[in-house]
Amino acid sequence: MSNYEAVIGLEVHCQVRTASKMFCSCANTFGAEPNTHTCPVCMGYPGTLPVPNKEAIRKAVIAGLLTGCEIARFSKFDRKSYFYPDLPKNYQISQYDMPFCTDGCINVGGEGVKGFSGDELPAKRIGITRIHLEEDPAKLSHYQGASGADYNRAGVPLIEIVSEPDMRTADEAYAYLTSLKEIMQYGNISDCDMEKGQMRCDVNISLRKSSSDPFGTKIELKNLNSFRAVHRAIEYEMWRQAQELDAGRTLRQETRGWNDDSGESYLMRTKEQAHDYRYFPDPDLLPVTFTEEEISEFKANLPELPAAMRARLVAGGLTEYDAGVVTADRHLAAYFDEAAKSVKNPKLLANWIISELLRELSAAGMDITESPITPANMAELVNAVDGGSISGKIGKDVLPEMFATGKGANEIIKEKGLAQVSDAGAVEGFVDQAIAANPAQVEQYKAGNPKVLQFLVGQVMKLSKGKANPKLVSDILAEKLK
Ligand code: ADP
Ligand code: ZN
Ligand code: MG
C-alpha cells in the first residue's frame, strides 16, 4: 500500500443547555415522555412566529470567544429547506453566510503529550472555520416495520462547530474533540453527553500522496457515537481510501455511515443525491447585532478554561498528572476549587480526592456532583491529616464513614475518639509496653541493627490502635533505647 497523508475536518453539533427551546417557550428536556414538550411553533403550524432565545445566542457567542473566534457584529438566521419527518416546518432555521462566530482555533498536543494511540502528539493549531446556531430536528427512532418521531427535541438550540481541514491523524481528531468537549463543558454551553446525543460529530476525510498536493476528494462519515468510534472510523477510512487509490480508482464525493460493530463504513449517498437546501434569510426573524459594549461584557465574564486551571493548580503545587485528573471533569474541578478555599495544602487535598474520594464514588456508582462528602467536609478531613490531629491511616477510615453518614470529619474523629495521641505521657506508656513485650527485638536494636526500630514503632502504633503520633513514637523509642 502506498503512503498517503490524510486530511481531516470535523463538523460537531452540540446541544446548547438552556431552559427553553430555540424559538419557542417549550422546555429544553432530555428523557421526557416523547412529544410532551411541543407547541404550535416547534410543530411548525402555519401562522406561528419564532422568538429567538437570548440565552442560546449568548452561549453560542461564548463558545466562539472561548475558541478564539471573531464575533460578528451583524448576523442573521436563514432557512435551510428540506423535507423529512424530523422537520415539521420543512425548513430548519440555521445560519448560512453570516454565522455568529468565525475564524477561531483549538490547540492540541504539546511536548510530552501522548495521543489516544499512545504516540507522542506534537503541538498543533486546528482552525475553526465557523460556529453557527440552529435548531435541532426531532429525534427519529426506527423499529421493526415502524418509525417514531420525538418532537421534544425539535427546536432545541444547537451549535455547529466546523473545523478547517487541518487534522492529519486520528489522534489529532481525537484530541481536538476532547478539547472541544472540555471547552463546551467549562463554558457551561453544553453538557456534551454523546450517549444522550448532546454532542454529535461528522468526519470529513480525504487522502493525498504528499502534503504539497491539492486536497483529494472528501468522504463524509456519519453516525459516529463516541470519540473512540471517530478514531476507529478515521483509521478504517484511511485504509479503505488508500486501497481504492492504489487500485487506480478515483473516489467520488460521498456520505458514508459507520458501523461500529463490524468496524466498517458503508455508502449512504453520493454527491448526486445531495440536497439543494435553498438557503434564504428567514423573513420572520430580525438580524442579530452586538454592540462593542456587549462583546466586551461577554469577554470580561469568560469562565476559566481547563488548560488555564491546570496551569494554576500546577503553580499551586499539584503535579501535572493530578492537575489533569482534577480538571478532566468540570464538576470535579469545581469541587476541588471549593474545597481548596479552606485548605492549606492543595496537593494533599488532590491526593485525597483522587485516591480516596474518587474510589468511594466509583464503588458507589456516583459522580462527584452526588458526593455525600461536601467540599467543606473534604477540606476538614484534609486539614485534620495535614495538621496532625489524625494520621493519614486513620483518615482512610474516617473518609468512608463520612461518605456513609454525610457527617463532618471532626465530628467523626470526636465521636469515635480517633484524635491522634500527641501527649508524650500517654505515648510513653505504649512505648514501655512495646519494649516489655519485645525483648528480642530490643536486644537486636541495641546490638546495632537500626532497622528493628521500625518494627517497634509498628508495635506501639498497634497498641495505640493507630492513634499515637508516629513521629513522637519514634522519638521516644529512640530516646529510651539509647
Ligand atoms: P461542504 O460544502 O461539503 O459542506 P465544506 O467546505 O463546508 O464542505 O467543509 C465541510 C467540512 O469538511 C469542514 O470541516 C472542512 O474542514 C472539511 N473538508 C473540506 N474539504 C476537505 C477535504 N478535501 N478533505 C477533508 N476534509 C475536508
Ligand atoms: Zn415549542
Ligand atoms: Mg459546508
Side-chain angles (χ1 to χ4, degrees):
M1 204 158 82
S2 325
N3 253 334
Y4 293 95
E5 178 185 73
V7 171
I8 303 159
L10 302 183
E11 293 166 290
V12 178
H13 284 95
C14 293
Q15 281 185 345
V16 180
R17 192 144 73 87
T18 51
S20 57
K21 289 186 184 181
M22 187 60 227
F23 296 109
C24 63
S25 58
C26 289
N28 175 357
T29 55
F30 178 84
E33 178 75 17
N35 301 311
T36 52
H37 294 282
T38 58
C39 73
V41 175
C42 57
M43 291 306 291
Y45 284 24
T48 58
L49 286 172
V51 179
N53 182 330
K54 196 172 174 180
E55 181 64 359
I57 294 175
R58 189 184 73 85
K59 289 193 170 182
V61 171
I62 301 289
L65 290 173
L66 290 176
T67 50
C69 287
E70 286 299 317
I71 307 303
R73 300 316 193 246
F74 181 98
S75 47
K76 63 178 169 73
F77 288 104
D78 299 282
R79 290 187 178 182
K80 176 181 180 178
S81 312
Y82 72 87
F83 178 75
Y84 207 61
D86 63 6
L87 200 69
K89 292 195 297 290
N90 291 340
Y91 62 84
Q92 179 191 29
I93 305 177
S94 181
Q95 295 190 287
Y96 184 51
D97 54 344
M98 290 186 176
F100 288 131
C101 325
T102 51
D103 222 356
C105 72
I106 284 180
N107 293 302
V108 299
E111 218 182 289
V113 177
K114 288 216 162 55
F116 179 72
S117 52
D119 300 338
E120 173 114 359
L121 188 71
K124 174 110 183 216
R125 175 194 188 277
I126 294 161
I128 288 180
T129 315
R130 56 185 282 154
I131 302 179
H132 68 251
L133 183 60
E134 57 192 26
E135 50 178 349
D136 211 352
K139 181 172 169 43
L140 299 183
S141 305
H142 303 287
Y143 313 100
Q144 203 85 48
S147 291
D150 180 6
Y151 292 94
N152 288 350
R153 203 182 75 178
V156 164
L158 194 68
I159 48 173
E160 178 172 348
I161 303 134
V162 181
S163 88
E164 289 289 301
D166 284 348
M167 288 156 274
R168 298 291 174 265
T169 63
D171 272 13
E172 283 179 4
Y174 190 94
Y176 169 84
L177 287 172
T178 306
S179 177
L180 182 62
K181 178 176 168 178
E182 269 186 358
I183 293 170
M184 293 305 138
Q185 290 179 334
Y186 269 71
N188 211 359
I189 293 155
S190 174
D191 293 332
C192 292
D193 186 335
M194 285 189 99
E195 279 171 25
K196 294 181 179 167
Q198 292 167 341
M199 185 180 194
R200 313 194 277 271
C201 174
D202 299 336
V203 171
N204 297 273
I205 174 168
S206 62
L207 297 189
R208 58 180 172 178
K209 272 258 162 67
S210 131
S211 51
S212 53
D213 289 348
F215 288 162
T217 306
K218 78 171 154 79
I219 303 288
E220 187 177 7
L221 284 169
K222 288 189 175 291
N223 299 346
L224 298 154
N225 293 325
S226 65
F227 292 178
R228 215 182 81 86
V230 168
H231 196 276
R232 283 182 79 199
I234 289 174
E235 300 223 300
Y236 171 83
E237 200 55 29
M238 285 166 73
W239 170 84
R240 189 192 67 83
Q241 292 183 24
Q243 300 273 307
E244 294 292 305
L245 295 172
D246 273 356
R249 287 188 281 270
T250 41
L251 293 164
R252 300 173 295 180
Q253 193 172 323
E254 57 189 32
T255 300
R256 302 178 68 87
W258 173 250
N259 183 333
D260 208 36
D261 293 330
S262 67
E264 288 172 331
S265 68
Y266 57 91
L267 180 67
M268 289 172 81
R269 58 176 176 267
T270 60
K271 201 189 174 190
E272 290 71 50
Q273 297 157 280
H275 297 112
D276 174 5
Y277 293 123
R278 296 170 11 253
Y279 280 101
F280 69 94
D282 192 313
D284 289 342
L285 289 158
L286 286 169
V288 180
T289 57
F290 295 111
T291 62
E292 297 310 314
E293 290 70 46
E294 283 168 322
I295 303 277
S296 313
E297 180 150 349
F298 285 142
K299 283 187 180 166
N301 292 307
L302 289 180
E304 182 184 39
L305 285 183
M309 180 171 179
R310 275 192 289 278
R312 171 165 64 80
L313 297 187
V314 169
L318 268 66
T319 61
E320 289 277 354
Y321 175 82
D322 286 357
V325 176
V326 167
T327 57
D329 170 347
R330 172 173 66 99
H331 300 293
L332 182 61
Y335 183 99
F336 178 88
D337 264 346
E338 184 59 32
K341 279 184 196 160
S342 23
V343 304
K344 282 195 224 72
N345 189 341
K347 187 172 161 37
L348 191 65
L349 173 66
N351 289 346
W352 278 85
I353 290 179
I354 291 169
S355 55
E356 304 301 321
L357 180 61
L358 290 187
R359 189 185 50 229
E360 292 291 331
L361 286 169
S362 117
M366 293 176 176
D367 70 47
I368 187 73
T369 59
E370 303 164 304
S371 172
I373 304 182
T374 63
N377 283 349
M378 194 67 210
E380 199 175 284
L381 175 66
V382 170
N383 284 336
V385 175
D386 196 32
S389 75
I390 55 169
S391 66
K393 194 166 176 306
I394 295 280
K396 286 182 188 176
D397 297 332
V398 173
L399 185 133
E401 189 77 20
M402 294 168 71
F403 197 90
T405 62
K407 287 182 187 168
N410 291 340
E411 192 182 344
I412 291 170
I413 293 166
K414 197 163 165 222
E415 243 174 46
K416 305 220 153 180
L418 296 173
Q420 185 154 279
V421 179
S422 293
D423 167 56
V427 172
E428 217 179 321
F430 293 126
V431 169
D432 289 339
Q433 282 181 52
I435 289 176
N438 299 282
Q441 282 79 3
V442 170
E443 268 325 298
Q444 285 172 26
Y445 179 78
K446 287 188 170 161
N449 180 357
K451 283 190 198 143
V452 252
L453 189 69
Q454 243 356 82
F455 168 82
L456 291 168
V457 170
Q459 295 306 303
V460 177
M461 293 307 292
K462 224 183 227 171
L463 285 166
S464 76
K465 301 206 164 56
K467 289 190 286 181
N469 178 331
K471 170 86 178 64
L472 198 58
V473 172
S474 63
D475 287 353
I476 294 178
L477 254 176
E479 187 59 37
K480 291 215 174 224
L481 297 180
K482 243 188 203 160

